Amino acid sequence: MKLSASLSETNKYFKDLFSDQSDFMSKQLNLDGSEFELFYFNTLIDSELVQNYILKPLMSRPHAPIHDVVAILDYTETESLQEAVHAIMYGKTVLQRSGEAKLYLLGTDVKKERSINIPTNERVLRGANEAFIENLDTNLNLMRKLINSTDFVVKTFTIGRLSQTKVAMMYIKTIADMASVEEVDRRLRSIDIDYLDAPGEVDELIQENKYSLFPQTLTTERPDRARANLMEGKVVVATAGSPDVVILPVSFWSFFQSEDDYQNGFLLGSIFRVLRLCCFFIAMGLPALYVTVSGFNPQMLPLNFVNTLQSSLKYVTFPPFVEALSMMLLLEILREATIRLASPVGQTIGVVGGIVVGTVVVQSNLVSNTMVITAALTGLASFVMPSYEMSSSARLLSYPALLLSAVFGLFGLAFFFIIICTHLCSINTLGLSYYKPPFSLSDAKDTLFRAPTWSLTKRPKATAPSNRTRMRNPRGWKR
Amino acid sequence: MKEDAITGRQLFILIFMTQLGLEVMSLPHAQADIAGHDMWLSVFLGGLCAQAGIMLIWWLGSRYPARNYFAYVPQIVGRPVGAFVNLLYGLYYALSGLMLIMNYADVLNRWLFVFTPRWILILMIFIACGYAASLSLRRIAYIAQSYLVLSIIGILLIVGCCLYGPDVKNLLPILSGGWNPVVKGIYYAFSGYVGYDLLLYAFPYVKAKSKNRLLLIMTFANMTTILYYVLSCLICTTMFSLKQLKYIPEPIVFILKYYQLEVLQSLDVVFLIFYVFIVSDTAYIYFFLSAKAFVHLRSKGFGKHQVWVWAMVGLAFIGSLFFKKRSTIMNFSNMQDIGSVIMIIGVPAVLLIIAGLRGAGRNRA
């Protein structure tokens, strides 16, 4: 429908469209012979803003051009009713003057957001204490403040037929590989969906290997982590309504990097990095190893240890596999319960789950002592990884490992690791390999261990950055 | 399918890992009957023969630097004969993969999994091989790179275990039976070096600075394998007498069984399990090459690589069910040894001569 100059026609159009909406308002004004009408949702607008910066100035100078009167920065003129409808839905106030076939869209939406908090899911000892929040503009503001460069590009899209969710893609145009930037752009644009539930859905909709258990995008709530990844040439996708951003293309090794590594010395950082990698294997394979060693190949263990193991297994009726399975299930139940439980009751879980169940289960000879140790170690090891997604996949993979080793012993475990390794090698992210064994020194520098800062002069090759020079003369004072 | 390029370093590791097969365990026993305590010499000379083979393939490859072996064979000998040669290669590599896995399953059955039905072990290795072989060359190189550390641990275990008890006197006198047994041993030692023929396929995909550099990489890989084998032969001959070697089919495992650490009773289990990775690595490269040979039956490409891989793996698995007796495996292994000499030395040599003659003819005309 074409916009007419008469207020009543516009009013009728909006009233018809929003006939069911009880919070849609229109307000007519007759100021000194000049007629105005305002359309807005009273649940979306900030009435203070409307009163002080639209109504008051209008009353004082009703005949002047709107542009000069209204004291609002977010100001657009349009002749399209469709655009006006969108604007109203976003919390803008639409103003029309009688006799003008023109609508004024004024940004008066109320800013309701929580303050920036400390990261709750990705804790570090040293490092920034800011986390993203649900508001996209605030998140972009955080990122812009961290990277004060014209090379830092933010592109926004609107995804979701119904929800019209704003999605922002960030990258650094002098570093990122333009091919992957365009690919992310293309994939994001092609999402046709009713509403977008970020970050999980963004993640799932744009990854290549649909059936892999391994996370192929890195999700983070830390602006500093997002920045570190941007600086390696990656793309960050932030979605309105979600305090997590998605980083891609990532390699397997990114899931073991933590901000802490770069804050401590490189020796400490490297040791912790190696520890996390070891924990990945422990989380995947320890229960399986326990089952093979106690049930299949006890000849691997020294005699004294076999005696110890035997004494703890003596009165346990179930085979090691059932023992291991039940303890791992218990661990998983505890984890899930701790997440869901209201925080005041959270302490109870520790006492009931950890102490009562753990002790009683051993005393009643349902599960052996060694198995409790194994399960606890597996759980702890899995939580060492800085990415929740990776730690979950490691823990979930321990089930097939357990099954294979329970049936085929050590050979089954070896088979499991062969398949996992092959699978890792086969995954692609944005056309780049996901897992690449760190073979040359330059590959191993920030993957297997954390090399000294001054030696990281080149960006890692894994994301194919267009500009690989990271630092030119980091220790310039020496000369 | 377009193949990704691999780096020189990846080629080195691929060749080394492919050459490294089961022979580390079985060579000392096989050679005990033939070359006696001079086996290290024949193993070394066998390596030099492999080096000659590498030169041959490199020479052939550098005549056709833009295409892989299976693609240029029809160019040299014409389409029908070329297709036949590729078919032979496809069957040969599938048989090699099958024999390797059979032999390894035999070792596993004797040393570690006495009661596990063999077909289950074989099936699992075949599944792993099929999955890996259906990837691209670069991805396969990634897998080989990941497993390299296991072969290093393997050799460290072997070397570490012979700290006590080697008797160098076992090696003397050198050449007690003259050169004859040593030369005869070369043939058996050569089977351990099979695997460098991956270069037939990989040649055009290596990002090396020059042809000569590629040859250098190949030589290094071969030298590393020679070192690995000679070391294991030397250790076995110094630790055991010839009489003992003749009775123990896998002396290395035996040595490892004898030693123990404070936290690990039997190193042999660890070694044998680590060898699953190394053996499967070699086997999936065989299946990869086999599928590639079949794909190149027609110049436009014949079927999909993945389909061929799984088809050959399936066939090989069905074939493996027919091997019941150890002697059958041994006979087939001997056949495969002859086959490998023909396929990776004989055929490339003939092709080189034909190509040379044709090239010479073309130059004159």
Side-chain angles (χ1 to χ4, degrees):
Chain A
M1 196 189 122
K2 241 185 91 62
L3 176 65
S4 91
S6 121
L7 289 184
S8 56
E9 291 237 349
T10 317
N11 191 335
K12 187 169 175 298
Y13 175 78
F14 281 130
K15 277 273 158 66
D16 285 349
L17 190 68
F18 296 125
S19 57
D20 298 336
Q21 320 281 5
S22 42
D23 52 349
F24 176 74
M25 298 286 161
S26 64
K27 184 177 173 63
Q28 276 207 321
L29 300 165
N30 194 341
L31 302 168
D32 200 10
S34 170
E35 273 185 72
F36 295 93
E37 186 146 10
L38 290 168
F39 306 96
Y40 55 88
F41 271 92
N42 69 355
T43 47
L44 291 177
I45 60 152
D46 188 346
S47 48
E48 292 264 315
L49 278 180
V50 177
Q51 278 170 15
N52 290 337
Y53 302 102
I54 301 176
L55 293 184
K56 261 192 196 164
L58 270 181
M59 282 174 183
S60 58
R61 295 162 65 197
H63 300 293
I66 300 283
H67 182 263
D68 299 342
V69 175
V70 171
I72 283 198
L73 199 59
D74 184 0
Y75 167 95
T76 4
E77 291 175 14
T78 182
E79 286 170 10
S80 145
L81 275 168
Q82 208 51 47
E83 204 179 315
V85 169
H86 273 297
I88 291 180
M89 301 299 300
Y90 272 119
K92 291 188 181 179
T93 303
V94 172
L95 176 68
Q96 188 178 20
R97 194 206 294 255
S98 173
E100 277 181 18
K102 200 189 266 178
L103 293 173
Y104 302 93
L105 315 178
L106 308 169
T108 51
D109 51 319
V110 64
K111 295 262 191 300
K112 279 264 188 320
E113 60 184 51
R114 66 183 171 97
S115 56
I116 296 167
N117 273 351
I118 57 167
T120 44
N121 303 332
E122 295 165 63
R123 306 292 281 270
V124 296
L125 272 179
R126 300 266 177 276
N129 264 333
E130 277 179 336
F132 288 126
I133 60 164
E134 284 79 359
N135 189 299
L136 183 66
D137 292 333
T138 313
N139 292 350
L140 294 179
N141 166 281
L142 282 175
M143 289 310 296
R144 283 241 186 244
K145 273 196 284 184
L146 281 180
I147 309 172
N148 288 312
S149 166
T150 47
D151 292 346
F152 176 55
V153 180
V154 179
K155 268 191 190 174
T156 48
F157 310 86
T158 316
I159 300 177
R161 286 182 176 220
L162 289 181
S163 68
Q164 296 285 317
T165 314
K166 268 198 188 163
V167 175
M169 177 175 103
M170 294 169 250
Y171 58 92
I172 293 175
K173 67 178 173 197
T174 43
I175 300 176
D177 172 31
M178 272 334 211
S180 26
V181 170
E182 271 156 32
E183 184 60 26
V184 175
D185 185 284
R186 191 177 72 84
R187 284 186 196 178
L188 281 175
R189 277 180 203 285
S190 71
I191 296 178
D192 188 1
I193 200 170
D194 272 354
Y195 86 103
L196 192 69
D197 206 353
E201 286 196 349
V202 181
D203 195 16
E204 219 171 306
L205 292 172
I206 61 181
Q207 69 188 15
E208 264 128 317
N209 212 316
K210 284 181 282 188
Y211 303 109
S212 177
L213 201 53
F214 286 102
Q216 290 155 58
T217 56
L218 184 62
T219 310
T220 185
E221 56 168 357
R222 301 186 59 90
D224 52 348
R225 207 172 181 194
R227 173 179 64 176
N229 281 290
L230 278 173
M231 291 297 180
E232 287 185 358
K234 291 170 191 163
V235 181
V236 173
V237 178
T239 316
S242 153
D244 293 304
V245 298
V246 171
I247 299 169
L248 71 167
V250 284
S251 71
F252 176 71
W253 306 105
S254 317
F255 294 92
F256 300 93
Q257 297 168 343
S258 165
E259 197 50 35
D260 267 338
D261 299 351
Y262 305 95
Q263 304 296 340
N264 300 318
F266 73 93
L267 279 175
L268 279 180
S270 300
I271 290 168
F272 296 152
R273 182 74 59 81
V274 172
L275 177 80
R276 279 185 220 125
L277 283 167
C278 293
C279 284
F280 177 67
F281 285 103
I282 293 177
M284 268 199 310
L286 188 68
L289 192 70
Y290 168 79
V291 168
T292 46
V293 161
S294 60
F296 253 90
N297 309 94
Q299 76 265 38
M300 273 179 75
L301 298 175
L303 201 60
N304 289 335
F305 185 71
V306 174
N307 286 338
T308 320
L309 191 65
Q310 200 54 45
S311 66
S312 94
L313 279 173
K314 209 175 191 174
Y315 301 106
V316 178
T317 43
F318 293 123
F321 170 65
V322 179
E323 252 190 298
L325 196 66
S326 59
M327 279 318 279
M328 280 159 65
L329 268 178
L330 181 71
L331 182 76
E332 218 54 26
I333 291 168
L334 277 177
R335 181 195 56 80
E336 191 68 17
T338 331
I339 297 175
R340 305 284 159 246
L341 219 63
S343 52
V345 213
Q347 297 282 328
T348 333
I349 282 290
V351 177
V352 174
I355 303 170
V356 177
V357 175
T359 326
V360 175
V361 119
V362 171
Q363 279 172 357
S364 57
N365 285 326
L366 286 173
V367 170
S368 71
N369 265 322
T370 23
M371 187 56 233
V372 174
I373 297 170
T374 312
L377 201 57
T378 311
L380 282 180
S382 80
F383 290 117
V384 163
M385 268 155 274
S387 156
Y388 178 70
E389 282 76 18
M390 189 51 104
S391 88
S392 305
S393 18
R395 240 176 313 109
L396 284 185
L397 282 172
S398 68
Y399 288 89
L402 183 69
L403 193 69
L404 276 170
S405 57
V407 182
F408 302 112
L410 262 185
F411 183 74
L413 196 57
F415 174 75
F416 170 77
F417 276 112
I418 289 180
I419 294 290
I420 290 296
C421 183
T422 314
H423 175 65
L424 276 177
C425 288
S426 74
I427 303 180
N428 264 336
T429 52
L430 293 177
L432 300 163
S433 359
Y434 177 68
Y435 163 81
K436 213 170 135 187
F439 228 74
S440 61
L441 193 63
S442 66
D443 280 346
K445 258 182 187 170
D446 203 12
T447 52
L448 266 191
F449 56 93
R450 202 282 271 178
T453 311
W454 42 263
S455 76
L456 296 168
T457 49
K458 291 262 195 266
R459 289 178 225 284
K461 252 186 281 182
T463 40
S466 57
N467 171 9
R468 283 199 62 209
T469 314
R470 180 167 12 208
M471 42 181 100
R472 281 137 205 100
N473 187 12
R475 277 162 76 88
W477 57 268
K478 288 207 70 167
R479 228 168 284 160
Chain B
M1 191 168 79
K2 222 181 143 289
E3 195 74 69
D4 298 323
I6 58 172
T7 63
R9 194 175 280 154
Q10 284 174 327
L11 178 74
F12 172 87
I13 287 150
L14 269 176
I15 298 292
F16 171 65
M17 292 295 281
T18 318
Q19 284 189 316
L20 206 64
L22 212 51
E23 279 80 4
V24 177
M25 292 187 226
S26 61
L27 258 187
H29 170 64
Q31 292 281 8
D33 279 332
I34 306 154
H37 53 240
D38 293 329
M39 63 175 74
W40 63 272
L41 201 57
S42 40
V43 167
F44 178 71
L45 291 175
L48 291 188
C49 288
Q51 185 61 33
I54 288 174
M55 297 285 286
L56 184 73
I57 289 174
W58 173 78
W59 204 358
L60 188 61
S62 50
R63 292 183 74 96
Y64 302 90
R67 315 177 68 176
N68 68 55
Y69 182 70
F70 305 123
Y72 65 69
V73 163
Q75 227 182 343
I76 299 177
V77 291
R79 198 155 292 157
V81 184
F84 178 68
V85 171
N86 279 351
L87 184 73
L88 280 185
Y89 271 102
L91 293 175
Y92 159 69
Y93 280 122
L95 180 71
S96 300
L98 168 64
M99 287 329 294
L100 179 72
I101 291 174
M102 286 308 296
N103 276 316
Y104 180 62
D106 183 52
V107 172
L108 276 185
N109 260 158
R110 268 182 290 125
W111 287 100
L112 203 52
F113 300 106
V114 182
F115 299 112
T116 314
R118 181 174 300 172
W119 67 269
I120 288 180
L121 296 178
I122 292 172
L123 179 66
M124 283 166 78
I125 305 181
F126 270 125
I127 290 174
C129 283
Y131 187 24
S134 54
L135 303 179
S136 75
L137 187 64
R138 188 194 281 179
R139 302 300 162 108
I140 285 183
Y142 286 160
I143 304 177
Q145 283 179 317
S146 318
Y147 296 167
L148 183 73
V149 63
L150 298 177
S151 67
I152 296 170
I153 296 176
I155 193 80
L156 286 181
L157 277 180
I158 302 171
V159 173
C161 282
C162 75
L163 287 178
Y164 300 103
D167 191 352
V168 190
K169 275 183 285 180
N170 274 355
L171 290 176
L172 299 172
I174 293 173
L175 290 179
S176 55
W179 279 98
N180 228 12
V182 174
V183 173
K184 216 191 263 174
I186 291 176
Y187 167 72
Y188 292 96
F190 180 75
S191 64
Y193 295 98
V194 175
Y196 68 80
D197 40 318
L198 175 65
L199 183 65
L200 285 174
Y201 178 74
F203 193 98
Y205 308 116
V206 183
K207 266 191 296 184
K209 282 199 190 86
S210 65
K211 280 192 307 186
N212 297 337
R213 200 174 162 78
L214 201 151
L215 182 64
L216 196 71
I217 293 166
M218 293 296 296
T219 313
F220 270 133
N222 196 36
M223 290 300 157
T224 320
T225 319
I226 293 179
L227 190 72
Y228 206 111
Y229 282 150
V230 168
L231 211 56
S232 72
C233 278
L234 276 178
I235 286 166
C236 287
T237 34
T238 49
M239 298 287 285
F240 293 108
S241 73
L242 267 188
K243 226 178 228 165
Q244 287 169 312
L245 277 183
K246 278 178 195 172
Y247 284 107
I248 312 169
E250 280 86 23
I252 295 261
V253 186
F254 204 87
I255 297 175
L256 288 168
K257 216 176 183 59
Y258 185 71
Y259 286 94
Q260 65 197 56
L261 298 175
E262 203 79 356
V263 289
L264 213 56
Q265 182 83 18
S266 52
L267 290 172
D268 60 319
V269 178
V270 178
F271 182 77
L272 280 170
I273 287 300
F274 277 3
Y275 240 78
V276 179
F277 292 88
I278 296 169
V279 164
S280 72
D281 187 280
T282 310
Y284 69 64
I285 287 173
Y286 284 146
F287 283 111
F288 173 79
L289 287 174
S290 165
K292 284 288 174 204
F294 281 117
V295 167
H296 284 87
L297 279 181
R298 222 168 45 182
S299 57
K300 262 180 284 169
F302 189 60
K304 266 192 172 159
H305 175 69
Q306 280 89 340
V307 178
W308 277 114
V309 167
W310 286 108
M312 289 328 284
V313 166
L315 275 181
F317 174 65
I318 293 167
S320 73
L321 299 176
F322 290 98
F323 291 94
K324 283 276 177 261
K325 275 189 252 157
R326 194 153 173 254
S327 57
T328 339
I329 301 178
M330 287 297 157
N331 289 339
F332 262 82
S333 294
N334 289 338
M335 267 169 58
Q336 186 233 336
D337 282 351
I338 301 168
S340 51
V341 173
I342 297 171
M343 297 306 275
I344 71 175
I345 291 203
V347 178
V350 172
L351 287 175
L352 186 63
I353 292 168
I354 297 175
L357 287 177
R358 285 195 160 187
R362 204 180 302 140
N363 284 347
R364 218 176 300 143

